[in-house]
Amino acid sequence: MQATQIRPRRPRDWRGIVFQAVMLLPAIAFLAIFMYYPIEETFRLSLMRSTGLGDEVYVGFQNYARLFRDAEFRAGFVNVLLWAFWSVVIQIPYSFFVAYALCLYRNHFTRPLRAIFFLANVLPSAITAMLGQFVFAPRYGVIATLAQRFKWTWLQRIDFLGDPDLAFWSIFALATWAYTGFGIVYLMANIEQIPRDIEEAAKLDGANRWQYAWHVVLPMVAYPIRILAILSIVGSLKLFDLPYLMTRGGPGYATTTLGIILYQQGFVNWQYGRAAAIGVVIFLLSLVFTVALFSMQRREGELQ
Amino acid sequence: MNLLKKVPEVVVTIVLIALALTVVLPMLIPMFFVFKTRLEFAYDPWGWPTTIRWDNFIGAWNAIRIDQGLINTLYVSLGAILCTVPPAAMAGYIFARYRSRVTEIIFYLVLAGYFVPALMVLIPLYRLSARMGLANTLPGLFLPMAAFGIPFWTIIYRSFFRGLPEELAEAARIDGAGHLDTFFRVMLPLAKPATFLAGLLVFIGAWSDYLLSLIMLSDQRLFTMQLRVAQFLNNYGVSNMPRYAAGVVISALPTIILYILGHRWILKGTLAGALKG
């Protein structure tokens, strides 16, 4: 066993140190150039007035102050938080239900379903958005066509993507369709880890399947559910593809997100400083939730 | 009695199958459209196609230059694999086998990168690539992609290498293999499952990217498949839905085929990442 201690010992193993440095260099170089440096730049730019033309002028926290006075930014901020809230409240219980049911009844029909539930997760978002168009579009869309066939005129009149009160929910439904597969697969993997004897013990105590789910399984997957909640929240903070592709954030500000506003400020209005400030806001919010994730992991003692 | 006991199972199974169908069926929607002419589509978008004709595929192919798109996207995906997987494998190996205070600190720096959203740094990333002459080039797309993929795969490789028995490296050393030989001749070949998984998922990720392509590429000829699909609707609108649907089918097919072939691996890899994350 002593011989396998490859770590540098006295006298220093210079070859080993050079080897380590060379092996780490490519990864470090990529991260330093394309991640750490841009992060530093984002913070710096967020304090500047910068339009890509002319000089950058230091303006302190003006960009931030301006953002929080801006109705569009506030709308995006609220949308993103609402999105996070509803994904936790709707998508996670749904994932748990499906995952538990799939684990409970294993038969020829349910076994292949795990892979099917995950399928929508691997679709490119441009494709998901297009499928969403096919479902929600007026006249030829799936819903409109069904409404026409069954003469449900009230349904025919609904404009799923054009109505400011509905657009958010239409896109949310599409995202639920596209992304809950991950939660299902993740919770299944955790439910499968519960030892068999616990289930037997619950049965002996006379618990039925739903009592078992509520009183035994749910507490045992409380930790993965919290992780899932944090992943959903962080995912909501950087939401961009689907709302941008479906509605460009409209109608009005109904479906705008921090990501869409960042993109528009940076690449349409060329307001680098303001866009960077939005980036910092997204980063800080993600950081808060990530720290929460790690402190939970510590408490549960599951960090390797 | 036995039959009565089966009732809940049958009901739940039916519900689960119905839910699974809601996942699959929307993906088949374009199939209603792609074999129709515009007239047939306008008249009856949801009827069964009368004849199988491939005109829409050819039309879509020419309208958004799918050949160019496929070559660009393939180039980006392969570039992303080449720039993500080797650095991650090398770094993951060091973090797993050469543990010291220094490597642990560097590991946490890399790990932190896993939580940085690319969205946050879009502006500096764009300006940086402009200065490096990478703006509006395909490497300008896959180099940052690699940087944002490396943390995740380093974590995966690290836990993979830690799982390999210590004796293997020892045996190699006794045979006189140096650090480099031990890694390339003994450890790396053993990591084939991780490498295969990384290749597959990095490919799918790069193939599906939208946001980075959107900001990095302005030259139409360099557009990736996803940009072309998204543009199609803007340029041609709903006036040629069958052709649009055909373009969508062509661009979605590679990921779906890869998923069908590799779904076991993909599920495993996704979970490995999430359980670590």
Side-chain angles (χ1 to χ4, degrees), chain A:
Chain A
M1 274 296 134
Q2 287 294 313
T4 60
Q5 294 253 325
I6 315 178
R7 79 180 58 157
R9 279 163 300 167
R10 253 162 255 276
R12 279 185 182 253
D13 171 14
W14 286 109
R15 282 185 153 184
I17 292 173
V18 169
F19 175 69
Q20 290 177 41
V22 170
M23 293 280 279
L24 290 176
L25 190 68
I28 301 291
F30 266 106
L31 289 175
I33 297 170
F34 293 106
M35 190 186 282
Y36 302 148
Y37 168 71
I39 290 174
E40 181 273 321
E41 274 291 284
T42 301
F43 276 97
R44 193 183 64 80
L45 272 176
S46 77
L47 303 174
M48 301 280 170
R49 188 171 63 229
S50 164
T51 54
L53 295 167
D55 291 333
E56 291 171 352
V57 185
Y58 178 79
V59 293
F61 287 92
Q62 244 179 54
N63 288 322
Y64 295 93
R66 216 188 152 118
L67 281 184
F68 283 94
R69 278 201 308 269
D70 178 21
E72 182 179 12
F73 177 81
R74 285 203 305 257
F77 197 79
V78 170
N79 281 343
V80 161
L81 292 183
L82 274 180
W83 187 281
F85 174 77
W86 288 114
S87 31
V88 170
V89 170
I90 296 177
Q91 293 171 356
I92 293 179
Y94 171 75
S95 305
F96 176 75
F97 166 76
V98 175
Y100 177 65
L102 280 174
C103 286
L104 186 62
Y105 299 112
R106 289 176 181 280
N107 54 41
H108 286 302
F109 301 102
T110 55
R111 222 163 278 138
L113 294 186
R114 181 204 303 240
I116 291 177
F117 276 111
F118 196 74
L119 178 57
N121 271 63
V122 297
L123 281 187
S125 47
I127 307 295
T128 305
M130 178 284 307
L131 291 176
Q133 295 281 0
F134 285 160
V135 172
F136 294 123
R139 282 191 310 110
Y140 72 87
V142 177
I143 299 174
T145 310
L146 287 177
Q148 201 179 14
R149 178 132 326 156
F150 296 105
K151 302 265 186 296
W152 293 329
T153 39
W154 60 272
L155 188 60
Q156 255 174 295
R157 275 198 301 264
I158 292 177
D159 184 357
F160 287 93
L161 295 169
D163 182 335
D165 295 327
L166 277 177
F168 179 92
W169 292 106
S170 305
I171 299 174
F172 185 81
L174 182 68
T176 306
W177 175 80
Y179 302 129
T180 39
F182 174 76
I184 293 170
V185 168
Y186 178 56
L187 287 178
M188 272 188 83
N190 282 283
I191 293 173
E192 279 168 353
Q193 311 251 307
I194 297 174
R196 275 255 160 249
D197 18 327
I198 292 183
E199 192 183 345
E200 297 302 323
K203 260 187 200 153
L204 285 178
D205 288 344
N208 68 32
R209 288 192 188 84
W210 300 109
Q211 284 168 330
Y212 172 68
W214 184 255
H215 294 292
V216 182
V217 178
L218 198 57
M220 291 199 81
V221 293
Y223 167 71
I225 283 180
R226 273 184 288 170
I227 297 249
L228 211 51
I230 285 156
L231 289 178
S232 312
I233 294 166
V234 173
S236 307
L237 292 173
K238 54 182 187 188
L239 190 63
F240 176 80
D241 289 11
L242 285 186
Y244 182 76
L245 284 160
M246 296 289 284
T247 58
R248 293 284 189 271
Y253 304 144
T255 58
T256 199
T257 67
L258 295 182
I260 292 177
I261 301 169
L262 188 156
Y263 172 77
Q264 280 168 345
Q265 289 288 0
F267 297 97
V268 181
N269 303 339
W270 306 106
Q271 292 288 346
Y272 288 147
R274 261 177 253 168
I278 299 170
V280 171
V281 171
I282 295 172
F283 176 73
L284 291 180
L285 287 173
S286 310
L287 193 69
V288 167
F289 288 111
T290 304
V291 167
L293 173 127
F294 268 118
S295 60
M296 273 183 198
Q297 224 167 6
R298 280 274 156 66
R299 210 182 316 143
E300 306 281 331
E302 290 206 20
L303 194 70
Q304 287 193 340

Side-chain angles (χ1 to χ4, degrees), chain B residues 80-161:
Chain B
I81 291 178
L82 274 180
C83 295
T84 311
V85 181
M90 289 157 69
Y93 177 68
I94 297 298
F95 294 140
R97 292 282 156 158
Y98 291 77
R99 302 186 70 189
S100 67
R101 193 161 301 155
V102 179
T103 56
E104 280 301 272
I105 291 170
I106 300 176
F107 174 66
Y108 278 103
L109 274 178
V110 174
L111 181 68
Y114 177 52
F115 298 98
V116 177
L119 182 64
M120 173 204 175
V121 296
L122 280 191
I123 308 290
L125 214 48
Y126 174 77
R127 301 206 327 172
L128 177 70
S129 45
R131 244 180 301 150
M132 294 169 74
L134 291 172
N136 209 11
T137 66
L138 295 174
L141 196 49
F142 66 71
L143 290 174
M145 246 181 220
F148 281 85
I150 283 172
F152 176 79
W153 292 108
T154 302
I155 299 168
I156 297 288
Y157 269 109
R158 175 175 172 266
S159 58
F160 192 91
F161 282 123

